[in-house]
Amino acid sequence: LYPEMYERLITAARKTNADIAVCGYLYQYPDRDVTIDFPFMKDCFLDRTYIKESVAPFMLGDSALNSLWNKIIRRDVVIKNDIRLCLGQRYGEDRDFFLKCLASSNGICFISYTGYFYRRVPTGAIQKARRDYVDTMIECAQKPELYTALGVDEKTAQAACENEKAKQLLSSIAFTERNFKGKERREALKAIMNDERVKSMTDAVLNPSFGEFSRFDRLIAGAVNKKSLFSLRLYTKLMKLRVSLYGLLRREKEE
């Protein structure tokens, strides 16, 4: 489907002798298309030390590199190490597969090229009201052991994975508030609040050592802990209003 992309990736892998080659991609958002590039050295061989110090930390905090469709991986890496997609795993299987390949590879190469166009499907399952967000978050959760296999410190990997789950919780709440209405929205939010498994996620948001969470994030986490639907909706609406005002002021400044 994307012959030029694969030709370029194969050429780069052969030229650099890297087991893995990766290109950028175009991601379709509802209001615009965004080119996703990666903040790594391009068109050269990046060894396992670089993977440990730069690629792994990036993946711990950003999902942009998780998918497989913009990559090629040397066949021997997959076969000799018996690396497989996990049957029955609905979410995160591509990220886990890629991390295992990284741990077994000699190195990686990123190329200066946008070769894939990811299109969103309006009728896709992600757009439907659901009550299994917590199940999804648990299944999507980062696995610290896959990062320690790359040389990342165990404590660092564990903290980053907990932080990522907390961000998924906030994202799921924001998505529900933004896209659903009435009974569907109330039931979806209640399902999140009433699931005891979210306690570790809200604790991460409320943890002072994680400075990236805003005051509104912490208010939302507190509302979830108290199981207060009223407070949860109030804080999400205030956050949405704040973001809208910020966007308006920024546009006026640019004009």
Side-chain angles (χ1 to χ4, degrees):
L1 294 176
Y2 293 85
E4 183 179 353
M5 178 184 76
Y6 291 117
E7 287 173 5
R8 286 179 179 244
L9 289 172
I10 291 170
T11 298
R14 287 173 175 168
K15 183 179 179 180
T16 61
N17 195 35
D19 285 338
I20 301 172
V22 182
C23 70
Y25 60 93
L26 194 66
Y27 190 92
Q28 186 179 56
Y29 284 94
D31 58 338
R32 68 193 188 285
D33 297 335
V34 177
T35 298
I36 305 297
D37 197 5
F38 304 105
F40 309 122
M41 296 173 62
K42 299 292 195 302
D43 305 306
C44 61
F45 177 79
L46 304 175
D47 62 15
R48 291 176 60 83
T49 299
Y50 189 95
I51 290 173
K52 171 189 172 182
E53 296 177 352
S54 299
V55 180
F58 176 87
M59 292 188 67
L60 275 167
D62 195 312
S63 62
L65 192 53
N66 289 353
S67 300
L68 295 176
W69 24 253
N70 63 326
K71 303 172 178 63
I72 61 167
I73 300 168
R74 193 181 300 276
R75 184 181 182 188
D76 285 352
V77 171
V78 178
I79 294 177
K80 288 183 179 180
N81 296 283
D82 194 27
I83 302 173
R84 305 181 184 186
L85 290 169
C86 184
L87 294 177
Q89 183 176 342
R90 297 177 300 166
Y91 308 101
E93 71 276 15
D94 46 357
R95 178 199 61 219
D96 293 357
F97 182 93
F98 178 52
L99 284 167
K100 291 174 184 177
C101 289
L102 270 180
S104 301
S105 71
N106 68 342
I108 191 170
C109 172
F110 292 87
I111 65 174
S112 304
Y113 174 68
T114 302
Y116 194 94
F117 184 14
Y118 182 90
R119 294 179 174 88
R120 298 169 71 91
V121 180
T123 57
I126 193 173
Q127 305 299 329
K128 298 177 181 178
R130 295 158 47 195
R131 300 185 65 181
D132 64 344
Y133 281 121
V134 181
D135 291 334
T136 301
M137 284 184 271
I138 298 298
E139 191 169 353
C140 281
Q142 298 263 32
K143 299 178 177 64
E145 63 271 18
L146 296 181
Y147 290 92
T148 56
L150 294 172
V152 178
D153 173 73
E154 184 177 356
K155 185 177 180 180
T156 300
Q158 184 67 46
C161 291
E162 290 299 319
N163 191 37
E164 182 63 23
K165 278 197 296 186
K167 289 192 289 186
Q168 287 183 17
L169 170 66
L170 296 170
S171 177
S172 295
I173 291 172
F175 182 86
T176 301
E177 178 66 33
R178 183 174 63 250
N179 292 279
F180 306 139
K181 297 180 181 179
K183 183 179 179 181
E184 286 185 336
R185 177 168 52 200
R186 288 195 303 273
E187 290 184 350
L189 291 175
K190 284 181 179 179
I192 292 174
M193 287 191 302
N194 293 329
D195 195 309
E196 295 303 321
R197 292 174 294 176
V198 305
K199 183 66 167 58
S200 63
M201 303 177 200
T202 54
D203 285 348
V205 178
L206 297 169
N207 188 337
S209 63
F210 291 140
E212 67 181 275
F213 294 110
S214 70
R215 175 171 172 266
F216 276 107
D217 292 333
R218 290 177 171 37
L219 288 172
I220 288 170
V224 172
N225 278 352
K226 295 176 182 177
K227 295 182 171 51
S228 172
L229 182 61
F230 174 81
S231 297
L232 180 61
R233 295 218 53 215
L234 174 63
Y235 296 143
T236 52
K237 282 181 176 293
L238 288 173
M239 178 181 282
K240 183 179 179 181
L241 178 61
R242 183 184 184 187
V243 171
S244 298
L245 288 173
Y246 175 79
L248 178 61
L249 292 172
R250 185 174 181 180
R251 286 194 297 271
E252 289 180 349
K253 184 177 182 180
E254 291 174 351
E255 293 174 357

